[in-house]
Amino acid sequence: MSFKYVVVVPYYEKCISSSDITNIGKAIGRKDPQLLWKPVNMQRRDEVQRFRMPSLPSIMVPFHSVPSSTLPQFKGPRLKCQGVHKAQQLRMLDEAGIRVPKWTRLDPDTEIDPAEFGENLIIKPTEKGASLGRGVTLIKTSGFKAYRDQHAAQYLPKGRSAPLVQQHIPTGGKAEHYRISTFLGHLVSCRRTQQLTEAAINSPMQELVLSDRVASNEGGSAEKAAELCRHAEVEALGLRVAELFDSVTDGIDIVRSSQDGELFVLEINMGNTWHFSSILGAGMQTRLGIEAMRNQFKLYETVADATIERAKLLLNLD
């Protein structure tokens, strides 16, 4: 049987292993032998130089962010994993009627109503490189004006991006969240992560500024527990969120309020969220087990089905 269409996959091994790429290609071959799976390892100069635009109908499907100039000779539809600014994410979620923490931006004239935002606030960086919970700070709402007056002006110059000021959603004594991962709108992972040490949010002090044990996705040496889980309500919310964003892969962070039991979406991570084999996901692979992560939603088969489905849709194939 001859090939009828092509999926070109530029990738870097730090973001997804060659083994995962190969196994997805094998799954696609079993499901639709007419699809040619054409990976290009962007760290291999010989592979990049040998690449030629296929003569068959083709789409490009990266598993992580790549420059728009990647493989410039490619002329078909290019899917992407580019990030969306955190403030824009929240606007889109608000417009879609999806519950998010109350929020604003940290400006010199920002005013916070404690009756609306509650006793504690989260200050979340929005500049490039702000990820893995780095720089997330918890403060008392009563201390916001002092914090604002000390920090807001530094974000006024052109090129800076003011942090978000968000309502703190309590999840109990320890920070915890769900992470839903999707690929082309299909669920590929659901896990729960919790910091093992409590943050001092109930401190009796009038002034409180915490940057440790605040975010349950915080990187570094912070001690945390993680488990794969199934939760229909969380999964449904994650898939609803994924529909709003034009990204091949994403990681959606969701928390459940310990006050009213409602789910809130915190943010959508795009760019490098393939934690099954990426260097960034090494810690999670150790905690959860690589095979368990891949088996939770039959990873290779799910990705193969989603890829075939999207390629046929975009290339108008039956």
Side-chain angles (χ1 to χ4, degrees):
M1 181 179 293
S2 59
F3 295 115
K4 293 182 65 175
Y5 61 118
V6 182
V7 172
V8 175
V9 186
Y11 73 98
Y12 290 87
E13 286 191 279
K14 67 180 181 179
C15 299
I16 181 172
S17 68
S18 293
S19 175
D20 275 0
I21 291 288
T22 298
N23 284 315
I24 293 167
K26 289 179 179 178
I28 285 176
R30 292 191 296 270
K31 292 173 179 291
D32 188 353
Q34 293 183 319
L35 191 161
L36 174 60
W37 181 249
K38 193 173 181 64
V40 181
N41 187 333
M42 300 304 294
Q43 294 169 273
R44 295 284 300 274
R45 180 177 296 181
D46 58 331
E47 287 192 28
V48 175
Q49 291 177 340
R50 285 199 310 266
F51 176 78
R52 297 293 183 270
M53 178 63 197
S55 59
L56 296 171
S58 305
I59 68 168
M60 180 181 289
V61 181
F63 281 68
H64 51 80
S65 60
V66 296
S68 59
S69 59
T70 297
L71 303 176
Q73 58 271 59
F74 183 86
K75 301 303 180 183
R78 291 173 177 256
L79 304 188
K80 58 186 179 180
C81 299
Q82 303 304 120
V84 175
H85 192 281
K86 288 180 172 63
Q88 179 61 17
Q89 290 182 16
L90 294 174
R91 292 188 192 100
M92 293 171 68
L93 293 167
D94 275 333
E95 290 172 0
I98 294 173
R99 187 185 293 263
V100 298
K102 295 178 178 65
W103 66 281
T104 185
R105 303 293 293 275
L106 181 64
D107 296 318
D109 59 352
T110 299
E111 297 289 343
I112 295 295
D113 181 357
E116 182 179 6
F117 279 76
E119 182 182 358
N120 300 301
L121 299 172
I122 290 288
I123 311 296
K124 182 183 292 185
T126 64
E127 294 187 316
K128 187 176 180 180
S131 61
L132 298 177
R134 290 188 292 262
V136 174
T137 301
L138 174 68
I139 68 172
K140 292 283 190 184
T141 306
S142 58
F144 173 73
K145 288 185 178 180
Y147 186 93
R148 177 200 65 193
D149 293 344
Q150 182 178 357
H151 296 281
Q154 66 183 288
Y155 297 101
L156 292 177
K158 184 178 180 180
R160 300 300 303 270
S161 178
L164 297 174
V165 181
Q166 289 184 300
Q167 168 195 18
H168 174 250
I169 305 298
T171 59
K174 304 171 184 177
E176 70 172 54
H177 79 289
Y178 294 95
R179 164 65 67 90
I180 295 293
S181 297
T182 70
F183 177 89
L184 294 176
H186 291 247
L187 192 63
V188 292
S189 178
C190 177
R191 69 176 188 258
R192 173 181 167 273
T193 303
Q194 182 185 60
Q195 291 282 11
L196 294 180
T197 308
E198 294 192 11
I201 61 173
N202 295 318
S203 168
M205 297 182 294
Q206 292 299 312
E207 302 295 333
L208 173 67
V209 177
L210 289 175
S211 58
D212 186 30
R213 301 186 299 278
V214 173
S216 52
N217 62 337
E218 182 181 353
S221 59
E223 292 185 359
K224 59 178 79 74
E227 62 178 2
L228 297 172
C229 62
R230 295 300 308 270
H231 195 301
E233 185 183 9
V234 174
E235 293 169 13
L237 178 58
L239 290 173
R240 184 182 171 197
V241 171
E243 291 179 353
L244 300 176
F245 296 90
D246 184 19
S247 179
V248 176
T249 63
D250 51 34
I252 300 154
D253 291 336
I254 299 170
V255 296
R256 184 180 295 280
S257 169
S258 57
Q259 293 180 332
D260 61 12
E262 296 287 346
L263 294 175
F264 291 78
V265 176
L266 297 185
E267 66 176 311
I268 301 87
N269 302 273
M270 293 164 271
N272 185 6
T273 64
W274 187 265
H275 287 176
F276 306 97
S277 59
S278 66
I279 292 175
L280 184 63
M284 200 57 62
Q285 294 157 25
T286 299
R287 290 186 181 92
L288 300 177
I290 296 175
E291 285 306 307
M293 292 174 68
R294 292 172 180 161
N295 291 337
Q296 186 184 23
F297 291 98
K298 298 182 179 179
L299 180 66
Y300 299 139
E301 289 74 14
T302 299
V303 171
D305 286 337
T307 301
I308 293 168
E309 175 185 288
R310 185 62 61 89
K312 287 184 173 181
L313 176 66
L314 293 179
L315 297 175
N316 295 314
L317 300 174
D318 294 330

